[in-house]
Amino acid sequence: MIVYRRILPLRTRLAILSYVSVLVAIMVDVIFMGFKVCHLIEEEMGRRALAIARTLAQMEVCSSCQQANKY
């Protein structure tokens, strides 16, 4: 005859399972939010770099126009 002994009561096991599932859900959400924030920062840096490049390109055209007008 096999004697089955419960290590933890059912209520305790359910509480632990609920706690662990909530922790896993929060960790997954934090990971996904981290990837999303990283992607948004990278896009914003690209936009700023493009704006700086456009500004520099316009400045180069203006300075070459000024040099052409001197001669």
Side-chain angles (χ1 to χ4, degrees):
M1 185 165 122
I2 299 174
V3 178
Y4 180 73
R5 295 186 339 177
R6 290 188 189 169
I7 297 173
L8 294 174
L10 181 61
R11 178 177 285 183
T12 306
R13 284 187 279 172
L14 287 175
I16 292 171
L17 180 65
S18 298
Y19 180 73
V20 169
S21 64
V22 167
L23 280 178
V24 168
I26 289 173
M27 289 187 335
V28 167
D29 189 41
V30 166
I31 290 170
F32 282 132
M33 292 297 290
F35 283 128
K36 182 68 174 174
V37 167
C38 184
H39 179 70
L40 290 174
I41 289 173
E42 187 175 330
E43 282 185 357
E44 181 64 26
M45 288 174 61
R47 286 189 195 118
R48 288 182 184 191
L50 187 60
I52 291 170
R54 285 180 181 159
T55 302
L56 290 176
Q58 289 174 354
M59 290 173 63
E60 185 65 31
V61 169
C62 291
S63 65
S64 64
C65 289
Q66 289 176 355
Q67 288 176 0
N69 289 334
K70 288 182 181 178
Y71 300 107

